[in-house]
Amino acid sequence: MAINCTWSVNDMTHKDADGGVVLVYWSCVAASDGDPVYTATDGGKLRLTYDASASDFIAYADLTEADVLGWVYADLAANSSVETETADEAKARIEAERTAKVQAQIDRANSQSNGLPWAA
C-alpha cells in the first residue's frame, strides 16, 4: 500500500491596495491508496510581512501555489529545531512524519480484528 503526500494552500489573505499576501493557510495530507484510506494531516498558518517595492515581490494576482508553498517550506525550516535545516529538508521531514503516522494506522489495523467470538 503506497502512501502519498499532498501539499495545498487552502486560503490566503492579501492587501487589496498592492496585492501583498499577509496570511497563508496550508496543509500537508498523507494518504494511503488502499481501502480503507488512512490519512494524517499537518497544517497551519503563515503570517507574512512584505515590501511591495522589493525586486522579488510577487503580487497576489501573479502568485502560483508553488510560489506560496516555497514560502511555507522556508518558514518551516526557519522555525525548525534543527538550525541548519533547508526548506527541502523541512518539507521532507513533515512528509516523513505524516507518512509514519499513516503507516502506524495501517499497522494497527492489520494487527487487530473486530467481532464477537460467539457470532459466526
Side-chain angles (χ1 to χ4, degrees):
M1 189 177 302
I3 301 171
N4 299 302
C5 292
T6 304
W7 289 83
S8 301
V9 174
N10 307 104
D11 200 8
M12 296 191 304
T13 302
H14 67 280
K15 300 285 186 174
D16 291 334
D18 57 14
V21 175
V22 294
L23 188 59
V24 174
Y25 293 92
W26 63 270
S27 64
C28 174
V29 179
S32 65
D33 64 356
D35 185 22
V37 174
Y38 298 95
T39 63
T41 303
D42 196 357
K45 61 184 173 184
L46 170 60
R47 294 188 187 280
L48 299 164
T49 57
Y50 66 91
D51 177 0
S53 65
S55 62
D56 62 348
F57 174 78
I58 306 171
Y60 173 79
D62 299 322
L63 285 168
T64 66
E65 188 171 32
D67 292 328
V68 179
L69 287 173
W71 299 343
V72 170
Y73 307 148
D75 182 69
L76 289 169
N79 292 300
S80 172
S81 60
V82 180
E83 286 187 32
T84 60
E85 187 174 61
T86 67
D88 287 340
E89 291 168 338
K91 177 181 183 270
R93 175 179 48 82
I94 297 294
E95 290 177 355
E97 290 169 357
R98 296 305 104 194
T99 297
K101 288 191 177 281
V102 171
Q103 188 61 55
Q105 294 173 39
I106 294 167
D107 293 346
R108 252 189 324 275
N110 289 336
S111 65
Q112 300 174 355
S113 299
N114 293 338
L116 304 170
W118 57 86

